[in-house]
């Protein structure tokens, strides 16, 4: 079964750091672009970051640029998001998703992990 | 960066047809594929349309997508509405270094 499972969410103080992980299974992880998308409570979807299959190209939303770092370990079938200088507005459910590079369609989503930034 | 604008909410009766629009603010809607995602409360999004008008396997043919260059917009049409279609729907597109989601449309089937 094709599956993405996020972990690492939790409660963190403003200015703090957190590392999210996404474990992939059921497909050849190293062949796919992977991305992070977040959703603040009661709000819509917001793209966060993208990393191509070999980590050649990495992109960030302006809202997280300079604070978040996306990475992947193809040997471990894992995607990561290192978040630092966290703000209250970063509070959201964070989803990892598999992307079809040619069409940029998100075809597989994880269940999400909640990040709460609060003092 | 461009934006995708959707109506905040739409409502329609079971059995009827509803269309949700998604208007691109700059650049050409036809220059990059548009996808549509359905999200039920408490669940992750799932794809109902990809590549403007393609349905993933398992998505009923009641769901269809189109683009209109004259209005620079994409549309999701759901026919024969069922109560199970009640959900939030998001359009999504991209450019060279950016991915954009529309603000989402809450579909109420009543």
């Amino acid at each position: 079964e094709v599956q993405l499972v996020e972990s690492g969410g939790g409660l963190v103080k403003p200015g703090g750091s957190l590392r999210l992980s996404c474990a992939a299974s059921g497909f050849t992880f190293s062949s796919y672009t992977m991305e992070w998308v977040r959703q603040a409570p009661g709000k819509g979807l917001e793209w966060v970051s993208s990393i191509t299959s070999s980590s050649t190209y990495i992109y960030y939303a302006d809202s997280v640029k300079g604070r978040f770092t996306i990475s992947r370990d193809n040997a471990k079938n894992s995607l990561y998001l290192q978040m630092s200088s966290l703000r209250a507005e970063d509070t959201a459910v964070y989803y990892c998703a598999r992307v079809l590079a040619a069409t940029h369609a998100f075809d597989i989503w994880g269940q999400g992990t909640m990040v709460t930034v609060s003092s | 960066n461009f934006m995708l604008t959707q109506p905040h909410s739409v409502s329609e009766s079971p059995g009827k047809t509803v269309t949700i629009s998604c208007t691109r603010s700059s650049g050409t809607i036809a220059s990059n594929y548009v996808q549509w995602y359905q999200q039920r409360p408490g669940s992750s999004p799932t794809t109902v349309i990809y590549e403007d008008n393609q349905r993933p396997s398992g998505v009923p043919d009641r769901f269809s997508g189109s683009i209109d260059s004259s209005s620079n917009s994409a549309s999701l049409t759901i026919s024969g509405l069922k109560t199970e279609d009640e959900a939030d729907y998001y359009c999504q597109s991209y450019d060279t270094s950016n991915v954009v989601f529309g603000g989402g449309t809450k579909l109420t089937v009543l």
Side-chain angles (χ1 to χ4, degrees):
Chain A
E1 180 191 5
V2 175
Q3 196 172 12
L4 297 171
V5 178
E6 301 93 336
S7 60
L11 174 63
V12 61
K13 289 181 167 53
S17 299
L18 207 58
R19 189 197 197 204
L20 305 183
S21 299
C22 172
S25 60
F27 66 98
T28 305
F29 179 74
S30 59
S31 296
Y32 288 88
T33 291
M34 298 295 296
E35 312 211 352
W36 289 96
V37 175
R38 68 184 181 183
Q39 186 170 34
K43 302 297 184 181
L45 301 173
E46 179 189 14
W47 172 72
V48 173
S49 184
S50 168
I51 185 168
T52 54
S53 58
S54 299
S55 305
T56 303
Y57 297 101
I58 289 175
Y59 303 103
Y60 297 97
D62 289 342
S63 58
V64 306
K65 203 172 293 184
R67 302 187 299 122
F68 290 12
T69 302
I70 191 172
S71 62
R72 64 190 295 162
D73 185 336
N74 287 342
K76 295 183 177 179
N77 292 333
S78 294
L79 175 72
Y80 306 102
L81 186 67
Q82 178 68 47
M83 305 184 294
S84 60
S85 302
L86 283 162
R87 308 165 179 166
E89 54 265 36
D90 296 318
T91 295
V93 173
Y94 284 73
Y95 296 101
C96 70
R98 188 178 83 171
V99 171
L100 303 179
T103 61
H104 224 116
F106 294 77
D107 69 334
I108 303 295
W109 297 71
Q111 86 289 351
T113 186
M114 182 70 202
V115 172
T116 302
V117 184
S118 174
S119 55
Chain B
N1 291 348
F2 66 95
M3 294 191 303
L4 296 173
T5 301
Q6 302 178 230
H8 182 68
S9 63
V10 295
S11 61
E12 190 50 271
S13 302
K16 299 292 190 180
T17 297
V18 70
T19 296
I20 300 171
S21 63
C22 171
T23 302
R24 181 165 172 158
S25 63
S26 61
T28 307
I29 191 72
S31 61
N32 306 100
Y33 288 118
V34 175
Q35 279 68 237
W36 290 90
Y37 305 96
Q38 176 192 70
Q39 187 180 34
R40 295 191 174 100
S43 297
S44 302
T46 60
T47 308
V48 292
I49 293 290
Y50 68 99
E51 290 182 24
D52 299 338
N53 55 18
Q54 301 298 302
R55 275 180 293 106
S57 60
V59 174
D61 60 7
R62 301 185 296 105
F63 289 79
S64 63
S66 64
I67 61 168
D68 180 355
S69 296
S70 65
S71 59
N72 213 35
S73 64
S75 294
L76 172 68
T77 299
I78 311 171
S79 60
L81 277 169
K82 300 183 176 184
T83 55
E84 67 203 46
D85 298 330
E86 189 162 289
D88 293 326
Y89 291 85
Y90 296 89
C91 60
Q92 173 257 319
S93 192
Y94 57 97
D95 61 20
T96 307
S97 59
N98 193 40
V99 176
V100 178
F101 287 94
T105 298
K106 181 176 180 59
L107 170 62
T108 302
V109 182
L110 39 63

